[in-house]
């Protein structure tokens, strides 16, 4: 996978864009994105996804009719819609694959925004012909950023960054409770910062990473009263978006590591590391050669 800009700059540049220009996405850009999603369908654990790019064109302004606006999304001229085969790591792989594509959108000069919710019976599901044995935990709006909103969104983006958890609460050395400082992380210091800056549902940042024995172990720290197990989650049939967030974090970690020249790959082999309490679940491990 090749980007024109560095992953570090794309991660820092991208934000949840809610206001779009009415200008249709260029044909060459649409071809590049469609080709990318067609070629990047397999997740880090072998799960298969399929994506469709629904976008307004100069010839067809009606293709998005009936899809809705999600209230806070204004003027989006495209949506990325995906379906993932059910599997042990389906939600994580979906987040991993779609985030790759959204970083490419940023590289191509487009804004984007993750949209989660109850989608299995939505018009999006109809458009992609969601089948039995498939899930669609989220979609993404895409398009050119509306002129005049960059400064306002930039302020909001900086405010959101200020609300993010510090690295000392996210990354640990040998076990939970022992913060891993950037000076001690070596080549991975930049990689961890890319994870810290990753988008997440309601900016909850559910990922925790523990370094141990030359490997990096990712855990999901569930937000109390949010998501899986809550009454609202069960009644509305919402996707477990915090697991999707873990896939986004994995995407940032892997792309960041490769940019830094660090080799490795994902395995699922839970280490004997004491968890700090309920609500902490092991996800995966980045193992270097």
């Amino acid at each position: 996978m090749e980007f024109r800009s560095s992953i570090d700059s794309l991660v820092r540049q991208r934000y949840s864009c809610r206001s779009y220009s009415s200008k249709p996405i260029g044909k060459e850009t649409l071809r590049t994105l469609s080709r990318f999603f067609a070629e990047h369908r397999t997740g880090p654990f072998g799960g298969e996804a399929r994506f469709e790019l629904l976008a307004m064109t100069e010839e067809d302004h009606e293709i998005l009719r009936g899809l809705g606006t999600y209230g806070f999304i204004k003027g989006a001229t495209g949506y990325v819609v995906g379906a993932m085969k059910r599997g042990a790591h389906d939600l994580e792989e979906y987040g991993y694959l779609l985030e790759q594509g959204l970083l490419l959108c940023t590289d191509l000069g487009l804004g984007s925004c993750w949209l989660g919710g109850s989608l299995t019976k939505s018009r999006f599901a109809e458009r992609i012909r969601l089948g039995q044995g498939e899930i669609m935990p989220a979609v993404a709006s895409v398009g050119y950023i509306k002129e005049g909103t960059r400064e306002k969104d930039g302020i909001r983006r900086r405010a959101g960054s200020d609300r993010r958890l510090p690295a000392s609460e996210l990354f640990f050395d040998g076990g939970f409770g022992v913060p891993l400082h950037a000076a001690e992380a070596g080549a991975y210091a930049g990689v961890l910062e890319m994870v810290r800056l990753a988008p997440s549902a309601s900016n909850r940042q559910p990922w925790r990473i523990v370094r141990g024995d030359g490997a990096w172990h990712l855990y999901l720290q569930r937000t109390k009263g949010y998501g899986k197990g809550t009454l609202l989650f069960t009644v509305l049939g919402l996707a477990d978006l915090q697991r999707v967030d873990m896939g986004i974090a994995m995407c940032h970690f892997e792309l960041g590591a490769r940019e830094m020249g660090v080799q490795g790959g994902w395995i699922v082999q839970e280490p004997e590391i004491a968890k700090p309490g309920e609500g902490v679940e092991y996800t995966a491990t980045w193992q270097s050669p």
Side-chain angles (χ1 to χ4, degrees):
M1 187 188 334
E2 293 186 3
F3 296 93
R4 297 176 301 183
S5 302
S6 70
I7 297 301
D8 180 77
S9 67
L10 294 176
V11 166
R12 295 176 186 278
Q13 179 184 344
R14 190 193 164 273
Y15 69 99
S16 297
C17 178
R18 293 172 170 82
S19 298
Y20 298 88
S21 162
S22 60
K23 175 185 174 183
I25 301 171
K27 292 181 180 180
E28 186 58 37
T29 298
L30 289 176
R31 279 193 288 269
T32 298
L33 286 172
S34 295
R35 183 168 60 249
F36 179 89
F37 281 113
E39 294 174 352
H40 295 80
R41 298 183 51 195
T42 305
F45 305 117
E48 291 289 328
R50 57 189 179 91
F51 293 95
E52 288 189 26
L53 182 57
L54 307 177
M56 180 191 303
T57 65
E58 293 287 355
E59 296 79 16
D60 186 357
H61 280 232
E62 302 298 315
I63 191 171
L64 303 182
R65 181 179 291 278
L67 291 181
T69 62
Y70 271 75
F72 58 87
I73 297 297
K74 299 179 181 179
T77 55
Y79 290 94
V80 180
V81 184
M84 186 86 202
K85 290 184 179 179
R86 290 191 180 277
H89 308 284
D90 47 11
L91 294 172
E92 292 84 359
E93 293 191 287
Y94 189 90
Y96 172 99
L97 289 169
L98 183 49
E99 179 66 4
Q100 284 186 5
L102 297 188
L103 288 173
L104 178 59
C105 286
T106 304
D107 198 38
L108 295 171
L110 300 176
S112 62
C113 185
W114 278 87
L115 304 169
S118 182
L119 298 169
T120 56
K121 296 181 180 179
S122 68
R123 291 291 181 87
F124 289 109
E126 293 176 9
R127 288 292 185 91
I128 202 170
R129 297 180 179 85
L130 190 70
Q132 288 189 339
E134 291 185 320
I135 59 169
M136 186 177 63
V139 300
S141 59
V142 295
Y144 295 110
I145 299 170
K146 185 177 181 180
E147 215 174 309
T149 62
R150 286 180 181 272
E151 183 176 350
K152 184 188 298 183
D153 287 334
I155 293 173
R156 184 173 62 230
R157 181 169 67 251
R158 288 191 293 273
S161 296
D162 290 342
R163 291 195 300 271
R164 290 180 184 274
L165 295 173
S168 60
E169 296 183 28
L170 298 172
F171 312 127
F172 306 95
D173 198 7
F176 288 95
V178 183
L180 176 62
H181 300 291
E184 302 167 342
Y188 281 94
V191 176
L192 296 178
E193 181 63 7
M194 290 186 215
V195 173
R196 194 182 76 86
L197 296 175
S200 60
S202 300
N203 200 28
R204 300 287 182 169
Q205 293 178 272
W207 44 78
R208 303 292 183 269
I209 300 180
V210 180
R211 179 175 69 174
D213 299 324
W216 300 83
H217 309 292
L218 273 68
Y219 292 83
L220 164 57
Q221 171 69 71
R222 290 202 174 274
T223 302
K224 188 175 182 180
Y226 178 88
K228 181 182 177 182
T230 64
L231 180 61
L232 184 64
F233 177 93
T234 304
V235 171
L236 296 181
L238 302 178
D240 189 350
L241 293 180
Q242 293 207 306
R243 283 183 53 200
V244 175
D245 291 342
M246 293 304 295
I248 295 173
M250 290 172 63
C251 170
H252 281 222
F253 190 104
E254 180 173 338
L255 293 181
R258 300 208 185 287
E259 183 164 278
M260 300 293 180
V262 179
Q263 299 301 310
W266 295 107
I267 62 172
V268 178
Q269 188 174 321
E270 185 170 358
E272 294 183 2
I273 294 176
K275 298 173 185 175
E278 294 184 4
V280 178
E281 305 169 10
Y282 170 76
T283 299
T285 294
W286 176 265
Q287 182 72 60
S288 298

